[in-house]
Amino acid sequence: MSQLLDTKPASEDEIASPSPQWKTDFYWIFRILWACRVSVASALAGLLLFGLVDQAQNLFADRSFDDLLFGAHYWLSVFAAVFLVWAFPVHYGARRVLEDADSAWMIPYFLRVEMRDNDIRSIRDHVRRRYARVIAWTPRLLGLTPFVAVALALMGAQASIENAAILSEATATRDQLWALLALDAATAAAFVLFVVKRQRIARFVGASVDLQLLTDASLHVTTAVFVSALIWPFFLADHAPRALIVPFLLGSLVLGASWLVRKSYETGRPLLLGAIIVAVAITAANTRLDDVRTLPETSGSPKKDDRQIDIPEAIRNWKAANGCTESRCPPALIVAAEGGASRAAFMAATVVGHLIDRDGDLQDAPELTSPGRRIFAFSGVSGGAFGSATFRAALADAAEKGVTTPPCVNKARVWVGAHENRDPTASWRDCLQLLVSGDYLSPAFVGLGFRDNFSPRKYFVLDEPWMEDRAALLEKSWERHYDFVTNPAYKNDYWTGELIQTGEPCASGATKGMCRRLGYARATPPGKWTPLLLLNGTSVDSGARIIGTDLISTRPAPATHSRAPLYPAAYDFFEMVSTPCKTPKGDICPAAGDGDRDVPALRDGPDILLSTAALLSARFPIISPAGTLRAKDNATHGDRIVDGGYFDNAGLASGLDVARALKNEGITPLILWVQNDPVGALTDNTLPPRAAGTPRLGATGVSFLSDIFGLVAAPVDALLATRAGHAAEQAALAQRSLVEMNADTDRYAGDMTASFFQIGVRVQPTLVADGGDDPLLDKTCARFKGQTLSMSKVSMSWWLSQSVQADLDAQLCDKSNRRSLKDLITRLKQKLPLVKAVW
C-alpha cells in the first residue's frame, strides 16, 4: 500500500521521511511484469527452451525440407507462426492489459473498491506519466523475445556441428542455419517495424490497422488448433511438425489467458487460476487416462496358451535355426540396447543392422537363411526398447514372408539415408535406421501441450477416457511410421511428390510390424528364428524391474519337479495384469506350475501390441506419463510403470538372467552392449589408469547458478547420473559373470574368448577408414580417411536431425567400435561344445 501512496503528490510528512525511490520503481516495474504474466511466462519459456535444451535447438537442424520450393514454404511458415501465433499474442496480450482504459491492474481490487475515484485517477495518471516508457516498451520487448529465443536455438545448433564438417549433412545444415538466422533477423525487424510504426504504415497504405481484427483472427486460429489437437491429433502433428508446432505450443493460449487476466483485474476474481484449476480437476478426475493400452478379448483373439514360450523350447528353436549338433553349437548373442529415446534406437539399429548384413559371414549351411539368427534376444530400455521391438517386428515380417531381405519399401525424408540416396530395400542397416527415424516428437508435443491438459472422462461421467493420452499418441506414431515405411500401398501426393501418411494401421486391423502382439514367439515359421524381446520397465510401487517379454517368467526345475524363477528379482507384465487368485482368508494361492510344467491359465492378462510393449520401458518424464497397470477383473489393484532406466538403463540385468538360462542348456552366451550416451575425449586432468575404476575428472559443476539452485539441482543431477552409474555396475557384473560362465568352453575357442562386447558413441571418435577386416565398414568408412570428427551435443529426443543421425552412423568407423565388431564376428563364427552349467 505504501508504494501506491508514493505515487501521489508528497505531503510534508512524506517529504520529511521519504520512501526510497528505488523501492517504488521496483514495485511498479514488478507490478507491470506481473500484469503481463501470461506473456512473460510464454516469452521466458521460449528463452529457456531454445537457449538451454539441445533437443529444441536440434529442431532447426531439420533437413527434411531441403527441396528449395517446399523447404522455403516450410521455414517461411515457421517464422510466420513465430510472428503471428507467438510474438504477436505475447505483445498484444501484454499491451491490452497495460493499456486498458480503467488501468485495473494498477490497484488491487480489494483496495480499489474502498478508494475514492479522485484517488484512483491520481494514482493512474501519475503512474502513466512516470512509467510511460516502461508501459510502452514492455509489450514490445516481450513480443521481440520469441525471435531472440529462436536466434539462441540457431546459434546452439550451429555450435554443436561446428567441428563436424566431414559430414555432408552437417555442412548442409550449417548453411541452412545461417539462412534461418538471417530470416529470423528479418522477421524480427518486420515485427518491430509493425508494432512501432503501425499508424504510419496505416496512413501510408491509406487504411486503418485494426489490431482487434488480428486478435480475433488469432483467437479463432488458436481455438481451431486446440480443437484439432483434441479430436484429430495427428492432423496437427502431420501439418505442423517439429519446429512449426513450437509457436503453437507457446503462443496459442496467450491471448485467451491474457483476456482472463484482464477480466480478473476488473472483477476481482482469479479467473485464470480458476480456469487452470478446472482443467486440472477435470483431467485428474479421469483416472483411467494413463492406463496402459490393452487389447480387448474377442472370439478371434489368439489363445493365451500360445502366448509366451518356455526358455528350453525357445533354446531348442534357436538351436534348430543355427544348425547345432548334439555336441556343438555357435554362441548365442544377447543384445542389450541402452536407453536414450530415438538416439538409442538409431544407434542400436546401426549396430544390429550391420550385424545382420554380415550374416553371410556366419553361414555354415546354405539352408539356414533366417536373418539375425545368432541373436537370441534383445534386452532393451527406453529408446533401446523401442528399437528392439522394431527390429523384432522387421525380422518377424521377413521370416513370415520367407525372405532374407528387409521389409522397407518407402523412404522418409527424416532419415539421413534419404539425402544420401541409400537403398533401404537392400541393406538391413539402412532399413532399421529408417524404421526408427520417424518424427515421434510432434504427436507427443500435441498430447503434452493440448490433449493432456484438458482430457475429461467420456461424457464427463463414465470410467473410460474420452481420448487417448500422449503416451498412446507416441505409440501410434511408432505404428504409423513403421507402416509408412513398409506398406507399398502408399502413393505419391500429386502436388508434393511425397508419400502421404494416412490413418492408424493398428486400428484398421493391421497385424504386422508394430501392430503385432507381444509374446507370440511360437508363431515364427519352423526352421526360422526371430529374436525374443525383454523390454524393461520399472515399478513405481516397488522399484523393481517389470519385463514385457516373450519368455515365461519361470523355467523347469526337473530335479525338484517344480518351477524356478527365470528372473529372480523382476515381475512379468502379463502376470501383473492377470486375474488375482481369490482364496478364503488364510489360504494360499495355487501353484503357478503343474510339477515342472507351466500353467498358462494363470497368465490370462490381456494382450498388448509391440508398440505398447516398447513404451512400457520408455515412460520417462515429461514426454510420457507413468502407465497404470490394472489387474484383470479387479481394476482397483495393480501398479504403475515408468522408464526402465530408473532401475537399469543398460538392459544388462535382464540380459544376464537369460544368459544364465542359455548356459544352463549348454549354450555359450555372449552379450553385446550398445550404448548411445556420448563419451567425451580424455582431458589433461584424467587420472592414470588403475585396476579399479579410473575416475574421469571434468569441471566441478560449481557455479553461480549451481549455488543458487544447489538445494534442488545437485540431487536431481545425481539421480540422473546414477542411470549411467548403475549401467557401469551392471556392465562390470555381466563381464565378470560371463567370464565365470564360459570358462569351461573358452579353452576350445582359440585366441578369441571374450564374451562381453561394447559399442559406444564418442564425441571425438578415432575414425578408421580401411581396417581390412570388414568390407562393409571399409566401404562406408572410406570417406573419412584422414578426417577428424567432433560433435559436442548429440541430441536425445524422439526425433533426430539428419546431422545427428550422420554422427551416430559414423560411430561404427571408430577404432574401438571396429575392434569390438571384429572380435564379435570372430566369436560368433565359433562352434563350441555344449557344456551345461549347474544352477
Side-chain angles (χ1 to χ4, degrees):
M1 185 65 182
S2 62
Q3 283 77 12
L4 290 176
L5 297 177
D6 283 343
T7 62
K8 298 162 61 178
S11 65
E12 293 183 2
D13 291 339
E14 291 171 329
I15 293 174
S17 57
S19 175
Q21 186 60 47
W22 69 266
K23 288 187 178 181
T24 302
D25 291 342
F26 177 83
Y27 171 83
W28 283 108
I29 292 173
F30 174 81
R31 192 157 188 85
I32 289 169
L33 293 175
W34 178 248
C36 307
R37 54 188 174 275
V38 174
S39 296
V40 169
S42 176
L44 184 59
L47 284 175
L48 294 175
L49 178 68
F50 286 130
L52 301 178
V53 181
D54 298 343
Q55 293 86 340
Q57 297 170 359
N58 195 44
L59 293 174
F60 291 92
D62 185 1
R63 290 196 59 231
S64 304
F65 308 95
D66 62 345
D67 179 272
L68 181 61
L69 177 61
F70 298 106
H73 175 268
Y74 175 78
W75 290 112
L76 286 174
S77 298
V78 169
F79 285 97
V82 172
F83 187 119
L84 297 173
V85 182
W86 187 11
F88 172 74
V90 165
H91 161 76
Y92 192 61
R95 182 183 166 202
R96 281 299 307 271
V97 172
L98 295 179
E99 296 185 359
D100 185 67
D102 294 332
S103 299
W105 61 271
M106 291 186 185
I107 307 173
Y109 181 82
F110 72 91
L111 292 178
R112 193 168 66 243
V113 295
E114 300 293 333
M115 296 175 64
R116 295 175 299 179
D117 291 343
N118 289 338
D119 292 336
I120 295 174
R121 281 194 297 270
S122 176
I123 293 174
R124 182 182 61 199
D125 294 344
H126 180 78
V127 170
R128 290 206 173 277
R129 285 195 304 271
R130 181 169 182 83
Y131 301 102
R133 291 187 178 181
V134 178
I135 292 172
W137 278 96
T138 294
R140 296 172 182 176
L141 294 176
L142 288 174
L144 194 61
T145 302
F147 301 101
V148 176
V150 170
L152 291 175
L154 292 167
M155 290 186 289
Q158 188 76 263
S160 68
I161 60 172
E162 59 184 353
N163 296 317
I166 66 170
L167 302 175
S168 58
E169 288 296 329
T171 302
T173 299
R174 180 191 59 197
D175 296 339
Q176 173 179 291
L177 291 172
W178 283 119
L180 294 182
L181 191 60
L183 183 57
D184 181 58
T187 311
F191 177 81
V192 172
L193 183 65
F194 171 74
V195 298
V196 175
K197 303 292 185 181
R198 63 184 182 277
Q199 298 300 334
R200 292 187 182 182
I201 295 173
R203 288 194 295 269
F204 177 78
V205 300
S208 62
V209 178
D210 187 358
L211 289 183
Q212 185 60 45
L213 181 63
L214 287 176
T215 305
D216 293 341
S218 181
L219 281 172
H220 284 99
V221 168
T222 53
T223 301
V225 167
F226 186 80
V227 172
S228 171
L230 292 179
I231 303 176
W232 306 289
F234 285 105
F235 178 86
L236 180 59
D238 291 342
H239 291 83
R242 299 183 289 286
L244 183 52
I245 205 172
V246 176
F248 290 95
L249 290 174
L250 295 177
S252 61
L253 299 179
V254 169
L255 285 177
S258 296
W259 179 83
L260 288 176
V261 169
R262 294 206 318 271
K263 293 301 178 182
S264 297
Y265 281 125
E266 293 175 7
T267 61
R269 296 182 177 88
L271 300 181
L272 178 59
L273 178 61
I276 293 173
I277 291 174
V278 168
V280 169
I282 287 176
T283 304
N286 187 3
T287 55
R288 293 295 192 98
L289 176 64
D290 296 327
D291 282 13
V292 170
R293 286 197 306 164
T294 57
L295 299 175
E297 297 186 29
T298 65
S299 57
S301 298
K303 295 180 180 179
K304 296 295 187 294
D305 291 3
D306 296 330
R307 190 178 66 191
Q308 296 188 294
I309 188 171
D310 225 346
I311 186 71
E313 181 183 355
I315 292 174
R316 287 194 297 271
N317 294 346
W318 180 88
K319 290 167 67 176
N322 281 274
C324 296
T325 66
E326 292 184 0
S327 60
R328 286 184 175 269
C329 203
L333 179 63
I334 299 168
V335 178
E338 186 178 66
S342 288
R343 187 180 71 190
F346 191 91
M347 192 62 202
T350 303
V351 176
V352 171
H354 180 75
L355 289 176
I356 297 175
D357 283 337
R358 291 204 61 186
D359 264 357
D361 298 340
L362 306 176
Q363 294 292 348
D364 40 30
E367 68 276 8
L368 301 176
T369 58
S370 183
R373 59 193 174 89
R374 286 288 198 271
I375 304 174
F376 183 79
F378 295 113
S379 180
V381 179
S382 191
F386 159 58
S388 298
T390 302
F391 311 154
R392 158 66 177 279
L395 290 167
D397 286 351
E400 289 187 2
K401 291 180 180 178
V403 299
T404 59
T405 53
C408 299
V409 295
N410 300 319
K411 291 184 182 180
R413 300 292 297 174
V414 291
W415 173 51
V416 63
H419 304 263
E420 300 173 351
N421 296 318
R422 290 198 242 157
D423 184 7
T425 65
S427 165
W428 277 95
R429 175 176 173 175
D430 290 344
C431 180
L432 295 185
Q433 284 182 351
L434 172 57
L435 286 172
V436 299
S437 296
D439 173 17
Y440 316 120
L441 187 62
S442 297
F445 268 171
V446 172
L448 177 64
F450 297 100
R451 267 199 167 196
D452 286 14
N453 295 320
F454 184 80
S455 187
R457 294 182 174 189
K458 194 169 185 179
Y459 304 114
F460 291 89
V461 292
L462 301 183
D463 285 338
E464 63 267 29
W466 214 329
M467 58 199 72
E468 293 172 314
D469 68 348
R470 61 188 185 276
L473 294 183
L474 181 56
E475 293 173 18
K476 288 185 174 183
S477 69
W478 295 341
E479 300 162 5
R480 296 173 86 241
H481 181 73
Y482 188 102
D483 183 61
F484 172 83
V485 171
T486 60
N487 191 341
Y490 287 115
K491 304 297 183 183
N492 287 337
D493 180 74
Y494 177 80
W495 297 105
T496 67
E498 297 289 334
L499 291 168
I500 300 299
Q501 169 80 61
T502 57
E504 297 177 10
C506 299
S508 302
T511 57
K512 305 298 182 184
M514 299 298 279
C515 298
R516 291 177 175 274
R517 297 175 186 235
L518 174 69
Y520 293 91
R522 293 190 182 94
T524 303
K528 303 292 182 181
W529 176 253
T530 302
L532 306 176
L533 287 177
L534 307 164
L535 307 176
N536 303 276
T538 304
S539 165
V540 172
D541 291 347
S542 67
R545 279 177 291 154
I546 298 177
I547 308 178
T549 178
D550 296 302
L551 289 166
I552 297 172
S553 67
T554 57
R555 62 174 181 85
T560 59
H561 196 58
S562 62
R563 303 285 297 184
L566 180 60
Y567 319 106
Y571 305 144
D572 180 89
F573 166 79
F574 287 120
E575 294 173 5
M576 297 185 74
V577 294
S578 294
T579 304
C581 57
K582 299 177 181 179
T583 62
K585 187 176 181 180
D587 289 352
I588 61 174
C589 293
D594 179 8
D596 62 358
R597 293 176 298 176
D598 178 69
V599 181
L602 299 180
R603 296 179 283 105
D604 64 349
D607 284 337
I608 57 173
L609 300 176
L610 283 186
S611 58
T612 301
L615 197 65
L616 292 177
S617 179
R619 291 177 173 268
F620 192 81
I622 300 173
I623 294 298
S624 305
T628 304
L629 310 180
R630 299 184 187 274
K632 188 175 181 180
D633 299 329
N634 190 355
T636 61
H637 287 70
D639 200 342
R640 287 175 296 162
I641 187 169
V642 291
D643 193 281
Y646 285 105
F647 183 92
D648 167 26
N649 196 47
L652 291 169
S654 298
L656 189 56
D657 286 337
V658 173
R660 293 191 179 99
L662 284 167
K663 191 62 183 180
N664 192 58
E665 296 294 325
I667 304 296
T668 298
L670 309 179
I671 292 180
L672 170 62
W673 181 25
V674 183
Q675 302 168 272
N676 67 91
D677 197 13
V679 177
L682 294 176
T683 68
D684 293 337
N685 293 323
T686 301
L687 296 180
R690 302 177 59 81
T694 300
R696 298 174 62 90
L697 300 182
T700 61
V702 177
S703 65
F704 176 75
L705 288 178
S706 72
D707 286 341
I708 292 178
F709 299 105
L711 185 64
V712 175
V716 170
D717 290 343
L719 285 172
L720 292 175
T722 55
R723 290 161 59 91
H726 288 163
E729 293 280 354
Q730 288 294 331
L733 175 62
Q735 193 166 11
R736 183 169 63 251
S737 299
L738 288 171
V739 169
E740 296 171 355
M741 273 191 275
N742 295 336
D744 50 7
T745 55
D746 281 349
R747 62 180 180 271
Y748 301 97
D751 294 334
M752 177 51 58
T753 60
S755 300
F756 184 80
F757 305 87
Q758 291 179 240
I759 300 292
V761 174
R762 292 165 179 80
V763 174
Q764 296 176 346
T766 303
L767 301 176
V768 177
D770 48 2
D773 57 285
D774 190 328
L776 285 178
L777 275 183
D778 286 345
K779 182 179 179 181
T780 59
C781 299
R783 55 182 171 156
F784 300 135
K785 189 171 185 178
Q787 304 288 323
T788 58
L789 170 64
S790 177
M791 186 172 287
S792 60
K793 293 184 289 187
V794 185
S795 173
M796 183 187 73
S797 174
W798 284 121
W799 176 81
L800 300 176
S801 70
Q802 292 77 11
S803 56
V804 170
Q805 294 178 36
D807 178 73
L808 296 173
D809 191 48
Q811 294 292 328
L812 287 196
C813 300
D814 174 71
K815 182 178 180 179
S816 298
N817 288 338
R818 290 199 64 153
R819 183 170 58 246
S820 292
L821 287 170
K822 176 185 175 181
D823 293 345
L824 176 59
I825 293 293
T826 301
R827 190 76 155 128
L828 289 173
K829 289 180 180 179
Q830 297 173 340
K831 278 294 187 75
L832 301 173
L834 291 167
V835 180
K836 293 190 177 184
V838 178
W839 284 81

